[in-house]
Amino acid sequence: MDEMLTAIVDAARPRFTEGKVATYIPELGKAQADALGLAVMTVEGEGHSAGDRDYPFSIQSISKLISLALALTELGEERVFSHVGVDPTPDPFNSIMRLEMDRVHRPYNPLVNAGAIAVISLLPYGESESRTAAVLDLARRLTANGTLAVNESIYRSEKTTSDRNRALAYFMKSTAILKGDVEDVLDSYFRQCSIEAAVGDLAVMGATLASGGINPVSGERVLSTRVCRVIRALMATCGMYDGSGEFAIRVGIPAKSGVGGGIVAVVPRRMGIAVCGPSLDGKGNSICGMEVLEELSRSMRLRVF
Ligand code: GLU
């Protein structure tokens, strides 16, 4: 198994030249473009990894799964989905256009920036500090890593440059989709995006979602089976942004990407997989990460569609 994973990583790595690391958050521009790590964790708790398995990266949009899981657990589907839809959008992850154009000003889904920011604003935890603490606590339980933490330089870098997210949030405040203080809600969003992890952590999180909520490493029930099912469905339809359809055909596994280069993928009842390769395509998805997942899906027959 380890040999096969290493061969897949080695074969995919040269493709990093086809993309670029994200630089719109200046600190992300320091990422190592040719880094590529892969980790697999089965629902029985058997782990394997290859390549740059210890490479630390900020989970970015992958954190949207965590705040959504927290909101669904605390508030229920009806309340959450009255503020954000559940359908894919053909627009980029940070698009503003449709928020104003559509008659109902709800973001399309919780995995694009506007949707995630709206969901965070619903979390019943007072201010940014306690909201972030709750998200971080769930992240630690999903990964069975009690030391996960926010990378402060990435957090500050995004906070001082993120005018696009500010525009989304203020617009949603004007239409009463976003609750509370805009800057405080955004502060939680920037912090959760800056949580730093390695692929092994996210493979455990993927396995927890694959098993229906039981973390295979700690043995803890972290989420309900229903919340896991909703999250997996949204990953399958919206997790790779406007590349979700193509990814479903190429790879055929529910997955969620982040602009730090990470992708977490979930094979229901079987395993979680995580990859990180910071060189991204034009849609914000890791080029080598997708290549690795396609090859792994083919050789292990992991497709769910
Ligand atoms: N923090 C990033 C942003 O808001 C997350 C986007 C992503 O990972 O796709 O732009």
Side-chain angles (χ1 to χ4, degrees), residues 24-25 60-61 64 93 113 158 165 189 193 241 258-259:
Y24 75 99
I25 298 172
Q60 296 297 331
S61 269
K64 292 169 182 168
F93 67 91
N113 288 10
E158 181 163 4
N165 285 325
Y189 174 73
C193 286
Y241 301 123
V259 292

